[in-house]
Amino acid sequence: MKTQVKCLVVGGGVIGTSIAYHLARAGWQDVMLIERDELTCGSTWHAAGLLPLFNMSYAAGHIHDYSVKFYKTLEEETGLNAGFKVVGNLRMAQSRARMEEFELYASTAETLGIPYEWITPGEMAERWPLFRSDDMQGALFHPTDGYINPADVTMAMAKGARQRGVAIERKWQADGFEWKGDHWDVTLTKMVEKGGNLVPSDEQVVVSAEHVVTASGNHAQRTARMLGIKMPAIPVEHQYIVTEPDPELVKWREAGNPEHPVMRDADAKNYIREKRGGWCVGIYEKGAPARFLYRVPDSFRADLFQLDLERIEGEYMDMIHRVPSAENVGIKDDFNGPICYTPDGNPLVGPAPGLRNMWLAEGFSFGITAAGGTGYYLAQMMVEGEAEIDMASLDPKRYGNWMTTEFAARKNEECYSHVYVLHHPDEERPACRPLRTSPAYDRQKARGAQFGWVNGWERPNYFGPKDAPESFDHDARSFRRGGWWQYAVEEAKAIREGVGLIDATAFAKNIVKGPGATAFLDWFTCNKLPRVGRINLTYALTDHGTTRTEYTIVRLAEDCYYLVSSGAWAAYDGDYLRKAVADKEAEFGRIEVQDVTTQWGVFAIAGPKSRDVLNEVVKDAEPETVLSNKRFPWLSMREIELGMCPVRAVRVAYTGELGWELHHPMEMQNYLFDLLEEAGKNHGMKLVGARAQNWLRLEKSYRAFGNELGRDATPLEADLPRFVDLDKEFHGKAKLIETGVRAKCCTMLIDGPDDADPWGREALYTPEGARVGRLTSGGYSVHFGTSIGLGYVKPELAVEGTRLKVRMFDKLWDATVTCDSPYDPKNETIRKDG
Ligand SMILES: Cc1cc2nc3c(=O)[nH]c(=O)nc-3n(C[C@H](O)[C@H](O)[C@H](O)COP(=O)(O)OP(=O)(O)OC[C@H]3O[C@@H](n4cnc5c(N)ncnc54)[C@H](O)[C@@H]3O)c2cc1C
């Protein structure tokens, strides 16, 4: 066994094997993979092997697409046939709402270039008469995917990896990791058989590895403990059944008919494919328990749990309804295995929090489908510094340190049971809530707040009726304008015409200070640093010049800065900041970073009457001028007093209206809320949620992190040159310039359906029908009375007046590119004096 390698991959399931293969293919010479037992002995061996391209996430869509294409090439490279059957994938819709879900997905699929076809119930009956289709609305068919043999595809990748120089060692378990400053010392223990169990022997070796990847599947919690980190990757039970041969199916195939596509009847929570003349039926039922919360027992090797037929009886009967000929065939085989999950169903792929050269690839629930693409894109990140797609939605740090085992287990059970729910883009999931609440949560709830979940925080999405039933928000969801839409319209109007108050407490807040702080931030971010008492919007870039974090920087003192960034990405951004500080301290001098997120609450007050409300409660020697442009200009910060509450007020408004962010001590939040609410009564102040705020920022062309801003585009591609100071040196500058502008962000007004707005995932076309880009945000503009979106198109099209088309509900709708900030382009209302 080698004791010194460039990269050690821990775990010989489909994921680890693909990563080892792709690292070698990307040029790393010295890669070793270790497996505590046999390759594929974790969840991989018993997977059903389906490879669904269907995916609502842009990044996961790319990953699945790569896998499907890559698996088709493996046999030629390795000589091993992995049993890839390209039978296609048929998604059936029992309801109009399900069809609308597919229509939204189809538009997203087009942005990825994934082919699909619509199938009517009549066509279904003609092509696949064994499937009942008279009660269906229609179906979406992917002709290019199908299923594969999970063990065989793993073995083919293992062979390909070996051919490219990867060493694969079985029966070695990683038992300890120690960072030595420039490499990891990983202690491996030889595993031996004892009474059918696999147990550690006394034989150990230490392997030094410049990089480590963990792909430990169901053992993720053990891995996390060894690394001293948290990961919400915990498996849940998943069952599928293989029936005896179905005589009708056998007859159908003997007549020379092709194999049935993999069929998914989402409304019945099942999937079906042919297997040895019978049917293989998998089910995503309610009540499947999380397993191995702390460890996998020694006795659980390539094992399964007992079938729980009672739990899936209803769904099994629904399968018989769909495939009537299955009624009289018995069960031949059953599988109930651990399937790793995360709270949002996406795996955890990327750098581990707080650690160097430690990469995670854990929590895969669609691991067979995701393995190829994960290996490819993770290898890009490791070898080249960045992947060509933005992997943030898969990053392990999208969950913060507040997360616990209990949270992960309950949330993963929920995620599993939600696999086949209608995935409304305005979906909010109920488990483990409320968990992180700001003090004013109860007050806002009493006033009708319907909350959304942001990194564990409860943040009002909109304010509905005060006495709304528990199911109100659930029933308000739609692929079109949901029951909440009118409330958001009124809230948006309140800010444009009067005044509104938004709870923005979830923002991440960090203090960066010390003798090295100024030089560090000047290098770390691409815009000029503000003067003391002023603020700036700026970006920290990746090595490749793309956007890694968006910050509002407030300069509190010469060497003290208050950094405000997205609440959803607190741990992800914080990790990048801390690692950069640690790297640069020796060069720039001492720098201290304090995360003060939970110490400071934030209310954003905005609207033409916002100054009037604050004037009622502000305390100052000259209260009549304290909020004037002279004493408190736009883009500045002042310490003010509102009643008895000391407030760090920042004159910015994400809504693009006259307004202030009121950063206040968390423990005084209720006092401040009551004070503002009382003062607001005289001015008709409305409580406003995140949905209205999102629409308002679109009218101002304010880019959102995670939508327009991410690791696949530079700030220049986001068309934000005013926030990039090319006269100074900053991290990522050379690459930013070298990259140029491949696609450009622009704002468009959309003449869409009367009852729907885009969600920001739709494909964009020229009037002649050529696909030219995609939307990254969508919503409704109260000011213009029409739908609005931000998106990326070819640079030559991102100019005012360009006519485009947006695909929504399988039709193309007119869109026109506007100027940047179509509402108040000169920022006159925002700068209004008073
Ligand atoms: C019933 C069922 C059906 C499924 N059907 C599908 C499907 O149709 N399509 C699909 O895409 N997915 C499916 N899945 C999910 C799929 O099986 C998993 O997502 C996938 O196998 C995960 O692969 P992995 O490599 O991450 O984990 P595993 O296959 O579990 O591999 C992890 C490996 O790491 C090893 N290991 C752990 N810790 C250490 C250590 N410290 N040192 C050394 N080795 C270690 C383990 O022994 C194990 O072999 C299904 C799952 C189940 C349960």
Side-chain angles (χ1 to χ4, degrees):
M1 140 128 36
K2 292 182 180 183
T3 53
Q4 205 167 355
V5 292
K6 172 90 176 165
C7 182
L8 182 73
V9 180
V10 177
V14 69
I15 298 295
T17 310
S18 171
I19 292 167
Y21 168 91
H22 281 95
L23 282 172
R25 205 171 92 169
W28 276 13
Q29 302 285 326
D30 211 0
V31 176
M32 181 159 78
L33 181 148
I34 54 147
E35 163 54 50
R36 67 190 292 279
D37 201 343
E38 295 292 342
L39 296 183
T40 79
C41 74
S43 278
T44 297
W45 74 270
H46 55 60
L50 314 184
L51 301 174
L53 278 168
F54 185 96
N55 201 289
M56 287 288 190
S57 142
Y58 189 66
H62 270 289
I63 287 173
H64 292 191
D65 186 40
Y66 174 88
S67 296
V68 166
K69 289 178 180 149
F70 164 64
Y71 294 157
K72 289 175 181 166
T73 67
L74 260 181
E75 184 172 358
E76 196 182 324
E77 179 179 346
T78 64
L80 295 182
N81 181 338
F84 193 167
K85 294 273 183 65
V86 186
V87 293
N89 201 324
L90 185 69
R91 299 218 161 226
M92 293 193 165
Q94 289 190 24
S95 66
R96 183 59 218 152
R98 184 68 74 182
M99 282 302 278
E100 289 183 353
E101 179 186 33
F102 292 171
E103 284 164 359
L104 174 59
Y105 165 68
S107 190
T108 310
E110 283 182 28
T111 67
L112 298 157
I114 293 174
Y116 65 88
E117 296 166 23
W118 295 110
I119 307 276
T120 63
E123 286 164 343
M124 260 188 275
E126 216 167 282
R127 284 174 76 170
W128 302 292
L130 294 187
F131 293 162
R132 179 181 198 150
S133 53
D134 55 352
D135 57 349
M136 306 302 295
Q137 291 279 326
L140 178 67
F141 182 57
H142 284 297
T144 52
D145 66 19
Y147 65 88
I148 202 160
N149 187 324
D152 291 349
V153 76
T154 310
M155 290 308 179
M157 289 191 288
K159 182 169 179 198
R162 283 194 187 97
Q163 284 172 350
R164 292 170 185 273
V166 174
I168 297 182
E169 301 284 351
R170 289 164 300 135
K171 303 275 192 239
W172 286 96
Q173 174 171 277
D175 272 347
F177 300 89
E178 202 181 335
W179 177 242
K180 294 295 201 182
D182 59 356
H183 70 273
W184 287 93
D185 272 355
V186 185
T187 305
L188 307 184
T189 307
K190 183 82 189 161
M191 302 299 284
V192 291
E193 310 270 343
K194 195 171 176 188
N197 291 353
L198 188 71
V199 294
S201 71
D202 295 336
E203 189 184 346
Q204 289 198 322
V205 291
V206 174
V207 174
S208 70
E210 196 180 319
H211 292 262
V212 173
V213 183
T214 76
S216 57
N218 302 317
H219 297 255
Q221 291 309 308
R222 179 176 187 270
T223 305
R225 259 197 318 280
M226 285 193 285
L227 294 173
I229 60 171
K230 292 183 175 184
M231 321 180 199
I234 294 179
V236 176
E237 286 188 17
H238 178 45
Q239 314 188 81
Y240 69 87
I241 282 171
V242 182
T243 71
E244 298 282 1
D246 174 352
E248 293 292 321
L249 174 59
V250 172
K251 212 172 2 158
W252 163 264
R253 293 297 306 281
E254 279 171 0
N257 290 304
E259 183 170 342
H260 284 83
V262 174
M263 195 270 279
R264 287 176 188 266
D265 187 357
D267 300 296
K269 298 194 177 67
N270 65 45
Y271 58 81
I272 303 171
R273 76 163 168 93
E274 289 187 22
K275 193 158 184 172
R276 293 192 295 269
W279 303 101
C280 167
V281 187
I283 287 167
Y284 285 98
E285 75 281 17
K286 264 200 167 140
R291 302 296 295 250
F292 309 145
L293 271 62
Y294 298 96
R295 63 189 292 269
V296 182
D298 289 342
S299 56
F300 196 96
R301 297 178 65 187
D303 288 304
L304 293 168
F305 308 115
Q306 182 111 31
L307 178 74
D308 187 343
L309 201 49
E310 221 170 278
R311 209 168 65 217
I312 55 172
E313 200 183 339
E315 289 82 1
Y316 196 78
M317 296 314 288
D318 288 341
M319 182 281 288
I320 290 173
H321 169 82
R322 186 68 47 226
V323 190
S325 61
E327 183 166 7
N328 299 319
V329 294
I331 294 176
K332 182 160 180 274
D333 257 330
D334 59 80
F335 295 81
N336 181 4
I339 185 166
C340 221
Y341 259 80
T342 63
D344 63 6
N346 266 350
L348 308 168
V349 183
L355 305 175
R356 304 294 180 145
N357 294 8
M358 177 60 69
W359 306 84
L360 307 181
E362 305 282 3
F364 283 84
S365 57
F366 279 92
I368 312 305
T369 321
T374 300
Y376 176 69
Y377 290 114
L378 183 62
Q380 279 186 347
M381 283 174 92
M382 294 174 65
V383 175
E384 295 165 31
E386 278 299 323
E388 67 204 60
I389 58 169
D390 186 351
M391 298 279 280
S393 57
L394 283 71
D395 194 278
K397 299 173 293 295
R398 65 188 187 276
Y399 296 96
N401 235 354
W402 52 267
M403 188 244 316
T404 56
T405 311
E406 179 65 12
F407 166 84
R410 302 292 84 85
K411 230 27 202 174
N412 291 3
E413 287 169 348
E414 177 190 58
C415 187
Y416 175 87
S417 68
H418 274 57
V419 165
Y420 278 152
V421 299
L422 278 169
H423 291 291
H424 291 116
D426 50 3
E427 181 187 6
E428 290 289 344
R429 297 185 177 184
C432 307
R433 297 178 60 187
L435 185 60
R436 304 181 80 196
T437 56
S438 64
Y441 170 82
D442 289 331
R443 280 167 165 72
Q444 296 181 84
K445 192 170 166 63
R447 286 147 187 78
Q450 294 289 343
F451 291 91
W453 192 93
V454 184
N455 191 18
W457 288 98
E458 297 294 333
R459 183 185 63 178
N461 274 337
Y462 63 96
F463 287 80
K466 282 191 185 129
D467 48 2
E470 197 65 14
S471 62
F472 183 84
D473 186 62
H474 181 271
D475 300 343
R477 291 170 203 160
S478 172
F479 292 96
R480 296 176 180 260
R481 291 172 181 163
W484 52 268
W485 188 85
Q486 195 54 45
Y487 295 95
V489 168
E490 297 308 322
E491 291 169 22
K493 273 191 192 152
I495 288 197
R496 285 281 177 259
E497 294 162 12
V499 54
L501 189 72
I502 299 169
D503 184 352
T505 297
F507 272 149
K509 302 137 213 144
N510 282 281
I511 297 280
V512 177
K513 63 179 181 183
T518 299
F520 167 74
L521 286 174
D522 198 38
W523 165 83
F524 187 57
T525 62
C526 66
N527 197 358
K528 280 188 187 62
L529 288 180
R531 298 192 310 274
V532 174
R534 303 283 298 182
I535 73 153
N536 251 352
L537 191 68
T538 187
Y539 303 97
L541 307 187
T542 64
D543 291 348
H544 284 210
T546 55
T547 308
R548 182 58 174 71
T549 306
E550 181 181 53
Y551 286 115
T552 299
I553 295 194
V554 183
R555 192 166 189 168
L556 299 176
E558 211 42 56
D559 278 335
C560 182
Y561 299 83
Y562 180 62
L563 272 55
V564 182
S565 55
S566 162
W569 299 96
Y572 173 79
D573 291 344
D575 190 68
Y576 194 62
L577 172 67
R578 281 167 197 279
K579 282 176 179 165
V581 163
D583 285 345
K584 288 286 174 180
E585 221 174 3
E587 185 180 333
F588 294 128
R590 195 172 56 75
I591 305 157
E592 199 182 317
V593 180
Q594 288 170 357
D595 183 344
V596 292
T597 301
T598 53
Q599 294 169 31
W600 290 86
V602 185
F603 291 137
I605 188 165
K609 296 183 187 164
S610 55
R611 187 183 269 124
D612 302 336
V613 175
L614 293 183
N615 271 334
E616 297 222 4
V617 292
V618 71
K619 304 290 172 192
D620 191 79
E622 293 171 43
E624 56 290 344
T625 61
V626 64
L627 300 173
S628 66
N629 279 4
K630 187 150 182 274
R631 286 184 62 197
F632 203 152
W634 184 43
L635 300 180
S636 62
M637 182 285 297
R638 299 285 180 268
E639 306 278 356
I640 60 171
E641 294 182 2
L642 297 180
M644 293 186 289
C645 185
V647 171
R648 180 176 289 163
V650 183
R651 191 163 163 196
V652 278
Y654 196 46
T655 50
E657 217 42 77
L658 174 73
W660 283 263
E661 277 180 12
L662 307 172
H663 295 244
H664 53 271
M666 195 71 102
E667 69 277 16
M668 293 193 185
Q669 180 165 83
N670 279 340
Y671 166 79
L672 184 61
F673 183 87
D674 293 344
L675 187 78
L676 292 170
E677 190 178 48
E678 192 53 35
K681 276 185 188 154
N682 300 333
H683 306 277
M685 187 175 79
K686 217 170 163 38
L687 296 178
V688 171
R691 296 215 173 123
Q693 187 186 29
N694 184 47
W695 291 350
L696 293 170
R697 67 107 187 157
L698 296 177
E699 293 176 346
K700 289 295 294 175
S701 304
Y702 291 160
R703 279 70 169 159
F705 190 75
N707 297 43
E708 289 72 42
L709 301 172
R711 278 150 63 182
D712 50 0
T714 70
L716 297 183
E717 291 174 316
D719 201 17
L720 296 169
R722 64 190 182 279
F723 300 118
V724 182
D725 178 12
L726 288 173
D727 291 336
K728 72 171 200 179
E729 290 311 312
F730 55 85
H731 177 231
K733 178 177 167 185
K735 277 280 190 184
L736 166 116
I737 294 168
E738 187 190 316
T739 300
V741 175
R742 299 161 295 185
K744 201 171 191 177
C745 185
C746 60
T747 309
M748 60 204 81
L749 294 177
I750 298 159
D751 194 4
D754 289 342
D755 61 349
D757 302 305
W759 294 100
R761 302 168 178 182
E762 294 81 359
L764 292 171
Y765 294 81
T766 61
E768 294 72 38
R771 186 159 50 81
V772 286
R774 65 182 179 113
L775 284 184
T776 44
S777 292
Y780 180 70
S781 163
V782 168
H783 180 76
F784 294 104
T786 186
S787 295
I788 187 167
L790 290 181
Y792 276 84
V793 291
K794 296 181 173 170
E796 62 276 18
L797 297 175
V799 285
E800 192 175 349
T802 300
R803 314 281 298 183
L804 294 171
K805 298 268 184 189
V806 182
R807 185 176 295 284
M808 292 168 64
F809 302 106
D810 203 33
K811 287 199 178 70
L812 291 176
W813 304 84
D814 289 335
T816 308
V817 176
T818 67
C819 65
D820 207 59
S821 183
Y823 173 77
D824 186 22
K826 294 192 176 142
N827 290 327
E828 280 161 3
T829 65
I830 222 169
R831 285 188 229 244
K832 215 172 114 215
D833 203 359

